mmCIF file of all heavy atoms in Angstrom:
data_model
loop_
_atom_site.group_PDB
_atom_site.id
_atom_site.type_symbol
_atom_site.label_atom_id
_atom_site.label_comp_id
_atom_site.label_asym_id
_atom_site.label_seq_id
_atom_site.Cartn_x
_atom_site.Cartn_y
_atom_site.Cartn_z
ATOM 1 N N HIS A 119 -16.796 -3.093 -13.098
ATOM 2 C CA HIS A 119 -17.638 -4.052 -13.805
ATOM 3 C C HIS A 119 -17.677 -3.679 -15.284
ATOM 4 O O HIS A 119 -17.427 -2.522 -15.649
ATOM 5 C CB HIS A 119 -19.051 -4.034 -13.222
ATOM 6 C CG HIS A 119 -19.129 -4.578 -11.817
ATOM 7 N ND1 HIS A 119 -20.319 -4.818 -11.178
ATOM 8 C CD2 HIS A 119 -18.140 -4.939 -10.957
ATOM 9 C CE1 HIS A 119 -20.073 -5.297 -9.965
ATOM 10 N NE2 HIS A 119 -18.762 -5.375 -9.803
ATOM 11 N N ALA A 120 -18.033 -4.646 -16.114
ATOM 12 C CA ALA A 120 -18.008 -4.434 -17.562
ATOM 13 C C ALA A 120 -18.849 -3.228 -17.979
ATOM 14 O O ALA A 120 -18.446 -2.444 -18.841
ATOM 15 C CB ALA A 120 -18.516 -5.689 -18.267
ATOM 16 N N GLU A 121 -20.030 -3.082 -17.356
ATOM 17 C CA GLU A 121 -20.915 -1.977 -17.726
ATOM 18 C C GLU A 121 -20.283 -0.626 -17.412
ATOM 19 O O GLU A 121 -20.324 0.303 -18.220
ATOM 20 C CB GLU A 121 -22.251 -2.070 -16.974
ATOM 21 C CG GLU A 121 -23.050 -3.315 -17.271
ATOM 22 C CD GLU A 121 -22.796 -4.427 -16.251
ATOM 23 O OE1 GLU A 121 -21.622 -4.650 -15.864
ATOM 24 O OE2 GLU A 121 -23.773 -5.081 -15.855
ATOM 25 N N VAL A 122 -19.692 -0.517 -16.213
ATOM 26 C CA VAL A 122 -19.067 0.747 -15.801
ATOM 27 C C VAL A 122 -17.897 1.069 -16.736
ATOM 28 O O VAL A 122 -17.718 2.215 -17.162
ATOM 29 C CB VAL A 122 -18.602 0.666 -14.330
ATOM 30 C CG1 VAL A 122 -17.703 1.845 -13.969
ATOM 31 C CG2 VAL A 122 -19.810 0.615 -13.399
ATOM 32 N N PRO A 153 -27.723 -6.035 -15.359
ATOM 33 C CA PRO A 153 -26.770 -5.288 -14.537
ATOM 34 C C PRO A 153 -27.025 -5.529 -13.043
ATOM 35 O O PRO A 153 -28.174 -5.676 -12.615
ATOM 36 C CB PRO A 153 -27.056 -3.828 -14.904
ATOM 37 C CG PRO A 153 -27.673 -3.882 -16.267
ATOM 38 C CD PRO A 153 -28.457 -5.162 -16.299
ATOM 39 N N CYS A 154 -25.937 -5.566 -12.268
ATOM 40 C CA CYS A 154 -26.027 -5.740 -10.812
ATOM 41 C C CYS A 154 -26.563 -4.459 -10.169
ATOM 42 O O CYS A 154 -26.861 -3.485 -10.848
ATOM 43 C CB CYS A 154 -24.650 -6.090 -10.248
ATOM 44 S SG CYS A 154 -23.532 -4.660 -10.193
ATOM 45 N N LEU A 155 -26.631 -4.467 -8.856
ATOM 46 C CA LEU A 155 -27.133 -3.301 -8.136
ATOM 47 C C LEU A 155 -26.363 -2.034 -8.506
ATOM 48 O O LEU A 155 -26.950 -0.996 -8.824
ATOM 49 C CB LEU A 155 -27.015 -3.553 -6.630
ATOM 50 C CG LEU A 155 -27.580 -2.460 -5.722
ATOM 51 C CD1 LEU A 155 -29.073 -2.292 -5.924
ATOM 52 C CD2 LEU A 155 -27.275 -2.783 -4.263
ATOM 53 N N GLN A 156 -25.037 -2.127 -8.483
ATOM 54 C CA GLN A 156 -24.207 -0.970 -8.838
ATOM 55 C C GLN A 156 -24.459 -0.529 -10.281
ATOM 56 O O GLN A 156 -24.622 0.658 -10.571
ATOM 57 C CB GLN A 156 -22.725 -1.320 -8.688
ATOM 58 C CG GLN A 156 -21.811 -0.270 -9.307
ATOM 59 C CD GLN A 156 -20.378 -0.711 -9.478
ATOM 60 O OE1 GLN A 156 -19.550 -0.345 -8.673
ATOM 61 N NE2 GLN A 156 -20.086 -1.482 -10.526
ATOM 62 N N CYS A 157 -24.475 -1.500 -11.187
ATOM 63 C CA CYS A 157 -24.518 -1.165 -12.612
ATOM 64 C C CYS A 157 -25.909 -0.714 -13.059
ATOM 65 O O CYS A 157 -26.034 -0.020 -14.077
ATOM 66 C CB CYS A 157 -23.987 -2.329 -13.435
ATOM 67 S SG CYS A 157 -22.226 -2.613 -13.107
ATOM 68 N N GLU A 186 -25.460 -10.418 -6.967
ATOM 69 C CA GLU A 186 -25.701 -9.202 -7.745
ATOM 70 C C GLU A 186 -26.354 -8.081 -6.939
ATOM 71 O O GLU A 186 -26.611 -7.012 -7.460
ATOM 72 C CB GLU A 186 -26.568 -9.533 -8.968
ATOM 73 C CG GLU A 186 -25.882 -10.469 -9.947
ATOM 74 C CD GLU A 186 -24.613 -9.873 -10.549
ATOM 75 O OE1 GLU A 186 -24.727 -9.025 -11.441
ATOM 76 O OE2 GLU A 186 -23.519 -10.227 -10.085
HETATM 77 ZN ZN1 ZN B 792 -22.166 -4.619 -12.066
#
Side-chain angles (χ1 to χ4, degrees):
H119 292 189
E121 298 95 318
V122 168
C154 75
L155 184 63
Q156 168 194 259
C157 295
E186 296 298 283

